[in-house]
Amino acid sequence: MEKKRQTDNKRGKGKSPQPRFNAIWIYVPLLVMIGYMYFFGANGGDPIKTEWYKVKEQMIAQGDVEKVTFITNQNRAEVSIKKDSLGKYKNMFGGREPKYGPHFYFIVSNNFDSEQQLEEARGALPAEKRFSIETEERTNYWGKVLDWLLLPIIILAIWFFALRNMSKNVGGGAGGGGIFNVGKSQAKLFDKDNQVKVTFKDVAGLEEAKVEVMEIVDFLKNPAKYTALGGKIPKGALLVGPPGTGKTLLAKAVAGEANVPFFSISGSDFVEMFVGVGASRVRDLFKQAKEKAPCIVFIDEIDAVGRARGKNTGFSSNDERENTLNQLLTEMDGFGTNSGVIILAATNRADILDKALMRAGRFDRQIHVDLPELKEREAIFNVHLAKLKLDKDLDTAFLSKQTPGFSGADIANVCNEAALIAARHNKQSIGKQDFLDAIDRIVGGLEKRSKIIPPHEKKTIAFHEAGHATVSWLLPNANPLLKVTIIPRGKALGAAWYLPEERQITTKEQMMDEMAATIGGRVAEEIINGRISTGALSDLEKLTKQAYAMVSYFGMSEKVGHVSFYDSSDGYGFNKPYSEKTAELIDKEAKELIDAAHAKATEVLKANMEGFTKLANLLLEREVIFSDDLENIFGPREKKEEELLLEKESETKEEMEVKENE
């Protein structure tokens, strides 16, 4: 029992709860007083106002008055009614007889001769019905006190409630709140009593990142394994990657898997309107972490406080944020070697983080969480599809092929959207078409079949989209086409879906073919209508950006040379890193690339006018066509050099295996 008692005391269970101030302590007495005055105020208290003629003609004339008191310094006279006569006036007191007086009062003007008037009225009564007359001077001390205290009380009450509401907004959160606790850390603590249910089983497709993170957890569980060889436990790891790739999910899995305390906080939680609050919260966070060591501290969206210092100070200076960052740098580098506190942080803007924050000793490791590849997308689909009712013949490999460039969050959205579409059509299970419709909706937007488009505009749109489809199909390096539609979606009047290749590098030839496919719609309008329209705006925007990137970033221009003006460290510079002459040359070279793509698209379309026209008419008829329709018109796509090389390598391998077997 003693041991149990000690344990409870350690956990805080043995401590008696401390009383805390609550506004109900003020409200309840006030309500009681108001209720008392309402229900019992008629039994005594303030008299009811009346007029002198009523007192004289009714109350005095009937012999109901017991006493009249004239208050000289208030020009007021109070009337007390005899007990046996109170029943006549019950209605005026809410149906109750007051227990004590005075019961009525009337205002006395300066012209009113009280002694004469009262004496005349009393003299007219029989001796047994006469009332007594008293004169007094009365001072209301409580009224004077209230006059002095009322305004300060009102000001204090307003200040109290305003401060209370401010404390909820300013100092609220996990740390208990209050304006006086505004400098306390807002981090949420997850430990044995408050566990996260997410585990590494819920994280699919991030195998390399999971290995790195699991190793960090192992550092904390078995530190002797690493320190015995003289190694030092890493102090921090930074999760870097595009939005939606699973950085925060990975951190949640660490919290669910690790048997150590886990502090979770957002970078924006350090930022506050008060000076010095951010630095104070950083100190408090690391103080708590040291007390709970070994533990993990996770800072999500660290770029909110970790932005590089000293850049464009005249435009975006924020001393408070920099002070917070300085304190964070100090705390991260101030630990002992084996203090047992490891920092995890996540950001999708690693390029803007301060170099001092990124150095070894603070964040020893950078774990890149990239967009999932084909096999990883399939694994992510399997995680999200486990909770859905699916058709038996649904192929997850097919779905993963249809979603190149999708993040984990995008795939989760696809699965949810497919379920909603199936439910909208009253289906009992989710099929392949539901997922395809979900992908189309997410990529292109909602179909607008009710939108009225004139026939001549619809024809232009059909030939525009057919131009894209024809050029992309006939050029071997362009992305293969999946689907073309002239049904309006989102802001677009028509759309074409492509299946981008999952490649790590892109050649100039591939980029030129993609540019030709992009401008294919504009070229189709020129050939068919003899004029151009505004429908190619998004195509031209994409085309221009790609051309300038090829010239100024990738060094794909012979005249500009093998130079790159891309600055990965600072993308927000106000000055161009080249001269005006070079700028003119870049503009000229970019235009030449666009002209070359235009010429190539024109050549392809004019050489295949029959198939191009047939495709456009088919699109007008069906509104939606697929890659099978293009194959029927133009035949199978030309194989790329890479595909031919792979086929030759596979044939060579098969021949060698046959010879070895012989």
Side-chain angles (χ1 to χ4, degrees):
M1 286 295 289
E2 188 65 22
K3 288 183 180 179
K4 188 177 184 304
R5 209 171 284 167
Q6 290 175 1
T7 307
D8 290 343
N9 287 333
K10 287 180 182 178
R11 294 177 181 174
K13 294 179 180 179
K15 296 179 181 179
S16 59
Q18 297 293 325
R20 294 194 303 172
F21 179 79
N22 198 322
I24 200 169
W25 295 357
I26 297 176
Y27 298 145
V28 170
L30 285 175
L31 290 172
V32 170
M33 290 174 63
I34 293 169
Y36 179 83
M37 292 174 65
Y38 180 78
F39 289 104
F40 303 102
N43 294 331
D46 291 337
I48 297 173
K49 186 178 180 182
T50 187
E51 302 292 336
W52 162 243
Y53 76 90
K54 290 183 179 180
V55 175
K56 183 180 179 183
E57 300 295 333
Q58 296 179 10
M59 301 177 188
I60 295 177
Q62 296 176 12
D64 298 335
V65 178
E66 182 182 3
K67 181 176 67 173
V68 177
T69 304
F70 179 64
I71 304 164
T72 56
N73 62 333
Q74 296 182 3
N75 292 332
R76 166 177 167 143
E78 295 177 345
V79 180
S80 298
I81 305 296
K82 296 175 181 178
K83 290 184 179 180
D84 54 354
S85 301
L86 282 174
K88 299 178 181 179
Y89 307 97
K90 279 172 60 176
N91 294 333
M92 300 179 71
F93 295 99
R96 297 186 180 92
E97 292 184 9
K99 293 181 179 180
Y100 56 90
H103 305 103
F104 299 95
Y105 78 94
F106 59 92
I107 302 299
V108 179
S109 65
N110 294 326
N111 299 324
F112 184 82
D113 190 350
S114 59
E115 293 183 6
Q116 183 182 351
Q117 293 284 347
L118 292 173
E119 284 293 338
E120 288 180 1
R122 192 174 76 145
L125 295 174
E128 65 274 5
K129 292 185 177 182
R130 291 179 181 175
F131 56 90
S132 60
I133 302 173
E134 296 180 1
T135 304
E136 67 178 53
E137 186 174 337
R138 188 179 297 172
T139 304
N140 189 2
Y141 295 101
W142 283 107
K144 289 185 177 182
V145 170
L146 286 175
D147 288 341
W148 280 98
L149 293 180
L150 185 60
L151 183 61
I153 289 171
I154 292 173
I155 293 172
L156 286 172
I158 294 172
W159 179 83
F160 172 76
F161 287 107
L163 194 65
R164 192 162 176 262
N165 292 330
M166 192 192 316
S167 68
K168 288 180 180 178
N169 298 326
V170 173
I179 195 167
F180 301 107
N181 293 325
V182 71
K184 300 293 183 182
S185 170
Q186 309 298 303
K188 295 179 181 179
L189 175 61
F190 300 95
D191 51 14
K192 294 180 180 179
D193 300 326
N194 185 20
Q195 290 185 344
V196 180
K197 296 181 180 179
V198 179
T199 62
F200 284 129
K201 294 180 180 178
D202 301 314
V203 182
L206 305 175
E207 299 304 324
E208 291 81 5
K210 277 197 292 187
V211 170
E212 293 271 2
V213 173
M214 288 170 72
E215 192 177 32
I216 290 172
V217 176
D218 193 45
F219 285 149
L220 295 173
K221 290 182 177 180
N222 307 304
K225 176 181 175 183
Y226 303 93
T227 56
L229 300 174
K232 297 179 181 179
I233 297 175
K235 293 183 179 179
L238 183 64
L239 300 172
V240 182
T245 50
K247 300 183 295 294
T248 306
L249 180 65
L250 200 58
K252 287 182 180 178
V254 173
E257 291 282 349
N259 293 322
V260 295
F262 186 94
F263 291 89
S264 176
I265 191 170
S266 173
S268 60
D269 288 336
F270 295 112
V271 183
E272 197 57 80
M273 63 181 287
F274 299 112
V275 177
V277 169
S280 176
R281 287 180 177 176
V282 171
R283 286 192 295 270
D284 188 65
L285 170 64
F286 282 88
K287 180 184 175 184
Q288 294 181 36
K290 288 176 183 178
E291 292 173 354
K292 295 281 188 178
C295 67
I296 297 173
V297 176
F298 174 63
I299 306 174
D300 200 6
E301 305 296 344
I302 196 173
D303 52 275
V305 292
R307 192 181 294 265
R309 298 163 291 177
K311 292 188 178 180
N312 303 329
T313 55
F315 297 91
S316 60
S317 62
N318 189 339
D319 292 337
E320 178 60 18
R321 180 183 58 76
E322 291 192 1
N323 291 338
T324 306
L325 175 59
N326 291 337
Q327 186 64 45
L328 182 63
L329 296 175
T330 305
E331 293 288 345
M332 288 185 68
D333 201 30
F335 291 135
T337 305
N338 296 317
S339 62
V341 178
I342 291 180
I343 312 300
L344 276 182
T347 181
N348 52 21
R349 300 293 307 279
D351 56 316
I352 65 171
L353 293 180
D354 197 277
K355 290 182 179 179
L357 189 65
M358 304 287 287
R359 75 161 176 84
R362 292 194 173 107
F363 286 116
D364 300 304
R365 298 185 174 186
Q366 288 192 33
I367 303 172
H368 291 273
V369 186
D370 297 320
L371 291 171
E373 296 181 354
L374 183 63
K375 293 293 182 184
E376 293 173 334
R377 290 199 301 273
E378 187 175 348
I380 296 171
F381 264 112
N382 288 329
V383 170
H384 292 293
L385 295 178
K387 301 176 183 179
L388 303 179
K389 294 182 179 179
L390 307 172
D391 289 348
K392 294 180 180 180
D393 58 345
L394 186 66
D395 186 12
T396 53
F398 171 78
L399 296 178
S400 61
K401 290 178 182 177
Q402 303 301 311
T403 51
F406 277 46
S407 66
D410 294 332
I411 292 173
N413 193 20
V414 166
C415 295
N416 185 62
E417 194 66 40
L420 296 178
I421 290 171
R424 198 176 298 124
H425 293 92
N426 299 319
K427 295 183 178 180
Q428 300 300 317
S429 60
I430 310 168
K432 174 182 173 182
Q433 189 59 44
D434 299 320
F435 282 96
L436 293 176
D437 293 342
I439 294 169
D440 291 348
R441 181 167 182 177
I442 291 170
V443 174
L446 187 64
E447 284 188 350
K448 298 180 179 179
R449 291 185 176 272
S450 59
K451 194 169 187 176
I452 300 172
I453 300 174
H456 67 280
E457 288 188 7
K458 195 171 184 180
K459 182 182 176 183
T460 301
I461 296 168
F463 276 95
H464 181 103
E465 298 300 334
H468 286 305
T470 302
V471 177
S472 67
W473 187 265
L474 295 173
L475 292 179
N477 294 312
N479 292 321
L481 189 86
L482 281 178
K483 176 181 176 181
V484 186
T485 179
I486 57 172
I487 300 170
R489 280 184 177 270
K491 295 181 179 180
L493 298 175
W497 278 262
Y498 301 93
L499 190 62
E501 294 183 19
E502 298 188 31
R503 54 194 179 209
Q504 305 302 319
I505 57 173
T506 305
T507 63
K508 183 180 179 181
E509 290 73 22
Q510 290 170 337
M511 296 186 77
M512 288 300 299
D513 282 1
E514 288 175 3
M515 288 173 66
T518 304
I519 204 172
R522 166 60 66 90
V523 174
E525 291 183 28
E526 292 176 354
I527 295 173
I528 299 301
N529 297 331
R531 58 182 183 272
I532 57 178
S533 68
T534 59
L537 174 61
S538 59
D539 299 332
L540 296 176
E541 182 186 3
K542 179 184 176 183
L543 193 70
T544 306
K545 288 181 179 179
Q546 193 165 351
Y548 273 96
M550 290 174 67
V551 176
S552 58
Y553 290 167
F554 303 128
M556 293 182 176
S557 170
E558 294 181 1
K559 293 182 180 179
V560 176
H562 303 292
V563 294
S564 177
F565 301 108
Y566 178 72
D567 187 3
S568 59
S569 61
D570 183 15
Y572 303 99
F574 291 100
N575 298 319
K576 293 181 179 179
Y578 45 79
S579 65
E580 290 297 326
K581 186 177 180 181
T582 305
E584 291 178 4
L585 184 59
I586 290 172
D587 293 340
K588 185 180 178 183
E589 286 295 292
K591 188 177 181 302
E592 286 184 2
L593 288 175
I594 294 171
D595 291 342
H598 183 278
K600 183 178 280 190
T602 305
E603 182 185 350
V604 171
L605 289 177
K606 286 185 176 180
N608 299 273
M609 278 299 295
E610 185 180 350
F612 163 56
T613 309
K614 187 177 180 182
L615 181 65
N617 292 327
L618 185 65
L619 193 56
L620 275 170
E621 181 185 345
R622 295 186 185 176
E623 291 189 333
V624 181
I625 59 174
F626 299 91
S627 57
D628 296 339
D629 300 313
L630 273 83
E631 190 170 350
N632 293 332
I633 295 173
F634 298 108
R637 289 194 74 201
E638 183 183 345
K639 291 185 178 181
K640 301 177 184 180
E641 293 181 7
E642 295 86 350
E643 294 176 352
L644 294 171
L645 287 172
L646 288 172
E647 288 181 1
K648 287 182 180 179
E649 287 178 3
S650 62
E651 289 175 1
T652 306
K653 286 181 181 179
E654 289 178 359
E655 290 176 0
M656 290 177 66
E657 288 177 358
V658 170
K659 288 180 180 180
E660 288 177 359
N661 292 329
E662 290 177 353

